Amino acid sequence: HVLAGVLGVGTLAILGAGWYVALRTRFRVAGQALTFLGCVVAPLNLWFYHAQNLVTVDGHLWVGGVICCLLYAATVYVLRDALFMYAFEVGVTLTTLLLLADLGKITDAPIFAFFFMALGLISIHSERAFSPAEDAQFPRRKFGLPLFWSGHVQIAVALLTLLGSQLLGWMLAPAQNLLDIQW
């Protein structure tokens, strides 16, 4: 429990230090790199919690993923950097995977594809939540496009999952028929 607490506080410290360096010093790129490191380390905490049986996948580990997503959203708001919109989208995608695993549906191809299709459509349409004016605080062209393109990747994953499961089913059907005939 102590090590888990230290890892959590360390991750928050890395994020906070990155925010500080990016906003309060002349080393903005170094601050962005430090903040990005914090964004990468945050999901590793979830892995550690699961590996140590503190919070397991079937014990609602996806709630930790939601907390990571909130940290990513706060990072976008504080730094006003569109690069972290991609980190937010990755966080949402990984949280969706944790939710599917918690529900026991991660290996069910149609449900997996449905969740990713819905996630992709939400991401694409969320682009419109940003202002089209270029002088806005969060312009659509800068902050909405990462959502738009990430949504296309999520839809591609959904379609490739369906295609792969269908191809696998078609390839295994003759083998299953052959086994049925021999028995």
Side-chain angles (χ1 to χ4, degrees):
H1 291 282
V2 173
L3 189 55
V6 168
L7 286 173
V9 169
T11 299
L12 292 176
I14 290 172
L15 278 173
W19 290 0
Y20 177 78
V21 171
L23 296 174
R24 302 284 183 199
T25 68
R26 60 187 176 102
F27 304 109
R28 181 162 175 80
V29 174
Q32 290 172 331
L34 194 57
T35 304
F36 194 75
L37 177 65
C39 289
V40 169
V41 171
L44 295 178
N45 288 324
L46 301 179
W47 167 81
F48 180 79
Y49 299 156
H50 176 75
Q52 299 301 316
N53 287 325
L54 298 173
V55 182
T56 59
V57 170
D58 55 348
H60 307 302
L61 187 61
W62 62 271
V63 174
V66 171
I67 292 169
C68 287
C69 290
L70 293 174
L71 286 172
Y72 298 155
T75 300
V76 170
Y77 181 76
V78 169
L79 295 183
R80 298 201 175 14
D81 188 355
L83 173 68
F84 293 100
M85 291 298 291
Y86 291 106
F88 176 77
E89 276 293 308
V90 168
V92 168
T93 304
L94 292 176
T95 302
T96 301
L97 290 173
L98 285 172
L99 178 62
L100 284 172
D102 188 21
L103 296 172
K105 302 293 184 183
I106 194 88
T107 58
D108 191 357
I111 292 177
F112 182 89
F114 172 77
F115 267 82
F116 266 79
M117 183 63 73
L119 193 60
L121 291 172
I122 290 168
S123 295
I124 288 172
H125 287 49
S126 294
E127 177 215 12
R128 295 292 179 179
F130 296 96
S131 173
E134 287 297 323
D135 60 343
Q137 191 173 15
F138 294 100
R140 182 181 299 164
R141 184 174 178 162
K142 186 176 178 185
F143 289 90
L145 281 180
L147 295 175
F148 182 77
W149 293 118
S150 297
H152 281 82
V153 170
Q154 291 159 341
I155 288 174
V157 168
L159 294 174
L160 288 173
T161 300
L162 286 177
L163 177 66
S165 66
Q166 287 297 311
L167 289 175
L168 187 62
W170 289 335
M171 287 189 287
L172 292 179
Q176 183 64 36
N177 290 339
L178 183 62
L179 288 174
D180 290 340
I181 291 171
Q182 290 179 355
W183 293 102

